[in-house]
Amino acid sequence: MQWFQKLRVTTRLVLSFLVVAAIGAAVSAFGIVQMGRINSAAERLYNDELRALQGTQQANIHLLYASRAQTGLLSASTRGERSAGAKDLTSSLSGLDARLDELKPFFQKSPEGQALLKDYETLAPALKKRLVDFIALINKQPLDISQFDGLVVDENTKLLAESRGLEGVLNKMVAYCDTLAKNSAAQAASTYAGSRLWMVGLALAGILISLGLGGLVARLLARQLGGEPAYAADMVGRIADGDLTTS
């Protein structure tokens, strides 16, 4: 610290204040950066994972509505009920398509998401075509279910099995979105906890360094003045009064 002792008093004080200010700036900058990371994780959680989770759940609901409408066609007792059931089935399929179109960009971001999307696109088109064909088949049947063609029962059974297969894919998509949402939430929580520890540590280090610099500057000033300022002032006063015996 010889170089520091050789500096002028003003220079020492300025350097000390600059060090303290630099520590404060470092703590502030670190806090701002970490807040940005937390905000980024929160935005990703809301704009991506949670919205995708909600979308896949809604798609699954549309599929369930389609299956229910399909089964309802079998028990329709009037042409009007059949027409309404067919309309509900078509509407559910349209809702399913709309939700998946919205979700495609999200699932295309990762290999796992792309694989799930591929599984869906493998099963969905064939199922939707068979459901449309099933509506046409039902419309050809008499209202009395006992007079239905045997093909109706076979098609209904196959469609329910295919619907369960697609439902399984949608459930995997829901689980995938849920996992990503939990990971983002955990990352935000981890960033917050780590930032809090680092900022507390930096603040304590800044306090210790400030105290150390203050003590050092005080000792150097006292040494340069020849002791305590009050003692020096007393010595000067006694000499001014003619007391030259003071050493």
Side-chain angles (χ1 to χ4, degrees), residues 53-116:
L53 177 60
Q54 183 183 29
T56 49
Q57 289 173 335
Q58 290 176 348
N60 212 346
I61 291 173
H62 284 301
L63 178 61
L64 293 175
Y65 283 167
S67 296
R68 186 177 68 178
Q70 169 204 334
T71 304
L73 287 174
L74 297 175
S75 58
S77 58
T78 65
R79 295 293 177 183
E81 289 180 359
R82 278 188 181 178
S83 178
K87 183 178 180 181
D88 289 341
L89 179 52
T90 304
S91 176
S92 298
L93 292 178
S94 298
L96 179 61
D97 286 338
R99 295 289 79 77
L100 263 296
D101 286 340
E102 294 174 357
L103 293 169
K104 281 183 180 180
F106 173 79
F107 283 98
Q108 289 172 344
K109 292 180 180 179
S110 70
E112 185 178 357
Q114 292 173 6
L116 289 171

Side-chain angles (χ1 to χ4, degrees), residues 2-221:
Q2 294 293 328
W3 65 272
F4 190 73
Q5 297 178 13
K6 296 177 180 179
L7 298 176
R8 297 174 57 188
V9 174
T10 303
T11 305
R12 295 176 192 171
L13 292 174
V14 170
L15 285 177
S16 300
F17 286 129
L18 287 177
V19 170
V20 174
I23 294 172
V27 174
S28 300
F30 180 80
I32 292 172
V33 171
Q34 295 302 94
M35 287 175 62
R37 292 181 59 190
I38 294 173
N39 183 65
S40 177
E43 287 185 352
R44 185 173 63 252
L45 175 62
Y46 174 74
N47 293 327
D48 292 341
E49 283 87 358
L50 289 182
R51 294 183 65 179
L53 177 60
Q54 183 183 29
T56 49
Q57 289 173 335
Q58 290 176 348
N60 212 346
I61 291 173
H62 284 301
L63 178 61
L64 293 175
Y65 283 167
S67 296
R68 186 177 68 178
Q70 169 204 334
T71 304
L73 287 174
L74 297 175
S75 58
S77 58
T78 65
R79 295 293 177 183
E81 289 180 359
R82 278 188 181 178
S83 178
K87 183 178 180 181
D88 289 341
L89 179 52
T90 304
S91 176
S92 298
L93 292 178
S94 298
L96 179 61
D97 286 338
R99 295 289 79 77
L100 263 296
D101 286 340
E102 294 174 357
L103 293 169
K104 281 183 180 180
F106 173 79
F107 283 98
Q108 289 172 344
K109 292 180 180 179
S110 70
E112 185 178 357
Q114 292 173 6
L116 289 171
L117 190 60
K118 183 178 180 181
D119 290 341
Y120 173 85
E121 292 176 341
T122 300
L123 298 177
L127 174 62
K128 287 183 288 186
K129 182 180 184 305
R130 294 191 70 167
L131 284 170
V132 173
D133 292 342
F134 184 75
I135 294 175
L137 177 63
I138 286 292
N139 286 333
K140 296 177 181 178
Q141 307 303 312
L143 292 176
D144 187 355
I145 191 172
S146 63
Q147 299 179 11
F148 277 10
D149 190 326
L151 182 61
V152 173
V153 177
D154 292 339
E155 282 297 307
N156 184 66
T157 302
K158 292 178 182 178
L159 282 171
L160 290 176
E162 291 183 11
S163 295
R164 284 194 292 270
L166 187 59
E167 182 182 354
V169 173
L170 287 174
N171 286 336
K172 290 180 181 179
M173 297 173 90
V174 169
Y176 171 75
C177 295
D178 184 58
T179 299
L180 290 182
K182 289 180 179 178
N183 290 341
S184 293
Q187 180 183 353
S190 176
T191 301
Y192 168 74
S195 300
R196 181 175 59 185
L197 290 176
W198 272 98
M199 291 188 71
V200 170
L202 288 173
L204 291 176
I207 292 173
L208 293 176
I209 293 174
S210 298
L211 291 175
L213 283 174
L216 176 63
V217 172
R219 286 196 302 272
L220 292 176
L221 287 176

